[in-house]
Amino acid sequence: MLQQFIAHVAQQHLFPTGQQVLLAVSGGVDSVVLSHLMHRAHFPFAIAHCNFNLRPGDSDRDELFVRNLALQYGVPFHVQHFQTLHYAHTHKLSVEDAARRLRYDWFLTLCQTHGYPALLTAHHRDDSNETFFLNLLRGTGLSGLHGILPVQAHAVRPLLPFGRDDIEAYASRHHLDHVEDLTNASLDYRRNQVRHQLLPLLRQLQPAADRTVSATIVHLQSAEHLYQVLLQPLTKQLLSSLPDGTYRLSLNFADLLPALAQPNLRFQLLFEMLHPLGFNSATVATISAASRSGSRFYSPSHCAILDRDALLITPLSAPPASELLPPIHLQSIPISHLTLNPRSLPPTQALFDADTVRLPLSLRHWRQGDRFQPFGMSRGSQLLSDFFSNHKFSLLDKQRQLLLVDSTDAILWVVGHRTSHPHRISPATRFALLVSLLPVPAPSL
């Protein structure tokens, strides 16, 4: 197994064998075997261990075991304690997902801090097969069926050619001690149900099930790679990033490739582009069938707004517009003392005839049916939606646009763009009212 391991690392160029890499070690048989192989192959490494504080007594036992393993091999040792249950509750995650997020965030920090070029984990062939079935049962696209990849960002899995039987036989042959995590036998976890119930049943039906599933995963990985290569040019043409962090996704798919007019292909392309932003298949199906401009769709992290023939996608981490209303400062200036030119004011200031303004003033956002009389229009009024269209506002621009209104809700100013004609400075003006929008206060911590 050692020679096969060394050859696999070299052939696949999994990590730089002359540099010290970081090895995640739980103390279980898989990571213990990986540590032993790395030591025998004379590959430099450091060990990182997570104490999740999930099993009183056992968690500390595992930490001590791994600490002694690092001493035995004479390698650097890193350990971190996590309050996993509290984190899972606070972030509304399962314990498994919480532990996964905590450990990989910490591993990445260690790699960046200490300059480790790669993180090695002891995932093997059976783990990859289990992941295949977990994603299949959960519902997934092609990318969810590739099992565990040998290299993914900083994470490297050099044991994927080996099954659990290979690893346990190696540990027995070399008399390697390890610790047992009793939760690995519990059927309370979905992965354990796949491991202890589904896969044994498949082996009864087909003795070579493990290898045939692994072979299928390899074919799916190749198919996915080809699929992504063909998808990249379409993505570049359809998806663009705006300076404010908004994504614009053109929906004119058929203009690029007529076959994409088919509903199933349109849905698939939408899914591939929106899934990385957290949109699930049900939401993507709704988006694909939608036609009403202004419709909103949400993922846990983003909001997508249908704007005619495009989707405007913004991160939800940005505070809602209602929380971004700046304070208003008013200053009355006798016209004889006015030195400001209304046409050269910054976008956050505007001048009005004070005698025509009904206080108090407030800020709000656009509503359907809003009308105003823009500066320069001596008669009548204009739908604000027409003003937006004439000035090429996107739907997202409309949603964000602030309006200054008086006590009767009459629009005095489309902030940063146009003031109202009836409230302009004129030869009859006695006092000018300078309206300034102040910076939004920083949120208190």
Side-chain angles (χ1 to χ4, degrees):
M1 185 171 172
L2 175 63
Q3 295 308 315
Q4 187 179 352
F5 172 78
I6 294 173
H8 175 64
V9 169
Q11 290 167 3
Q12 300 298 319
H13 306 287
L14 294 182
F15 56 88
T17 55
Q19 291 180 250
Q20 190 174 65
V21 295
L22 184 64
L23 179 56
V25 180
S26 66
V29 63
D30 305 333
S31 57
V32 166
V33 166
L34 179 55
S35 304
H36 194 259
L37 289 168
M38 292 288 290
H39 177 70
R40 291 182 66 201
H42 304 292
F43 295 154
F45 65 97
I47 285 179
H49 176 75
C50 299
N51 187 328
F52 293 110
N53 289 296
L54 292 174
R55 295 170 291 122
D58 287 350
S59 294
D60 293 335
R61 175 209 65 181
D62 296 353
E63 178 186 330
L64 180 60
F65 175 85
V66 178
R67 185 184 297 274
N68 288 333
L69 191 68
L71 287 172
Q72 175 187 335
Y73 292 140
V75 300
F77 176 68
H78 307 278
V79 64
Q80 182 77 330
H81 287 244
F82 298 105
Q83 298 304 318
T84 312
L85 292 178
H86 175 74
Y87 184 90
H89 176 74
T90 302
H91 292 82
K92 297 180 172 58
L93 297 170
S94 69
V95 174
E96 290 174 286
D97 289 339
R100 183 181 303 108
R101 182 181 297 183
L102 287 168
R103 67 175 174 266
Y104 279 107
D105 285 350
W106 179 56
F107 291 153
L108 180 58
T109 300
L110 282 176
C111 287
Q112 293 172 338
T113 303
H114 297 276
Y116 299 125
L119 164 71
L120 274 59
T121 68
H123 292 98
H124 49 75
R125 184 176 63 228
D126 293 39
D127 291 321
S128 184
N129 291 354
E130 290 164 10
T131 299
F132 170 86
F133 284 108
L134 282 170
N135 289 340
L136 184 66
L137 294 171
R138 191 180 290 129
T140 184
L142 185 59
S143 62
L145 297 177
H146 60 209
I148 297 175
L149 297 176
V151 179
Q152 195 168 18
H154 269 68
V156 177
R157 289 86 179 215
L159 293 186
L160 285 181
F162 309 102
R164 184 171 286 109
D165 289 346
D166 300 320
I167 291 168
E168 290 178 349
Y170 180 92
S172 176
R173 186 163 58 251
H174 292 275
H175 309 289
L176 300 181
D177 291 330
H178 62 277
V179 292
E180 291 288 351
D181 183 348
L182 296 179
T183 61
N184 287 336
S186 172
L187 295 180
D188 292 338
Y189 300 101
R190 178 64 61 88
R191 180 174 289 276
N192 288 346
Q193 293 169 358
V194 171
R195 178 179 300 170
H196 300 301
Q197 294 180 317
L198 177 60
L199 288 179
L201 177 60
L202 292 177
R203 291 175 189 126
Q204 291 179 23
L205 298 173
Q206 168 56 270
D210 291 296
R211 296 193 179 277
T212 56
V213 171
S214 296
T216 298
I217 288 174
V218 171
H219 294 316
L220 288 170
Q221 288 174 356
S222 299
E224 186 200 2
H225 181 67
L226 175 61
Y227 179 62
Q228 293 298 333
V229 168
L230 297 176
L231 186 65
Q232 285 174 7
L234 292 175
T235 302
K236 287 182 179 179
Q237 294 179 71
L238 296 171
L239 188 64
S240 57
S241 179
L242 304 181
D244 62 356
T246 300
Y247 294 101
R248 183 183 188 277
L249 174 59
S250 171
L251 299 178
N252 295 323
F253 297 170
D255 291 350
L256 296 179
L257 192 63
L260 293 175
Q262 298 178 37
N264 60 327
L265 294 183
R266 173 184 171 85
F267 163 80
Q268 189 61 38
L269 184 57
L270 266 176
F271 179 81
E272 292 297 336
M273 295 185 176
L274 295 177
H275 181 64
L277 300 177
F279 292 90
N280 60 30
S281 58
T283 304
V284 173
T286 304
I287 294 173
S288 184
S291 59
R292 185 169 63 85
S293 190
S295 298
R296 291 176 175 238
F297 312 91
Y298 293 91
S299 78
S301 59
H302 288 77
C303 171
I305 306 172
L306 185 62
D307 183 16
R308 296 183 292 274
D309 59 351
L311 278 177
L312 301 175
I313 308 162
T314 57
L316 288 179
S317 56
S322 60
E323 296 180 8
L324 294 174
L325 299 183
I328 301 172
H329 180 264
L330 305 180
Q331 181 182 0
S332 180
I333 306 172
I335 197 67
S336 60
H337 292 73
L338 183 66
T339 59
L340 300 172
N341 182 347
R343 295 181 181 274
S344 60
L345 293 174
T348 55
Q349 290 185 326
L351 281 168
F352 303 94
D353 185 326
D355 291 333
T356 68
V357 174
R358 298 183 183 183
L359 302 178
L361 305 184
S362 59
L363 291 166
R364 67 170 175 83
H365 291 87
W366 166 60
R367 303 179 190 132
Q368 286 286 355
D370 273 341
R371 306 185 71 93
F372 89 124
Q373 188 177 344
F375 182 84
M377 179 182 283
S378 58
R379 294 182 180 179
S381 63
Q382 182 182 38
L383 278 170
L384 195 55
S385 57
D386 290 340
F387 177 85
F388 288 154
S389 297
N390 293 341
H391 290 80
K392 296 182 170 34
F393 277 50
S394 71
L395 183 59
L396 192 60
D397 293 332
K398 298 176 191 177
Q399 302 273 349
R400 291 175 170 174
Q401 180 61 52
L402 291 178
L403 306 174
L404 181 73
V405 298
D406 67 9
S407 62
T408 68
D409 202 39
I411 297 173
L412 306 183
W413 182 23
V414 179
V415 174
H417 293 278
R418 191 73 61 86
T419 55
S420 170
H421 190 80
H423 304 285
R424 71 194 185 283
I425 301 294
S426 72
T429 299
R430 298 182 306 121
F431 289 89
L433 181 66
L434 176 65
V435 178
S436 302
L437 302 188
L438 304 180
V440 179
S444 57
L445 298 177

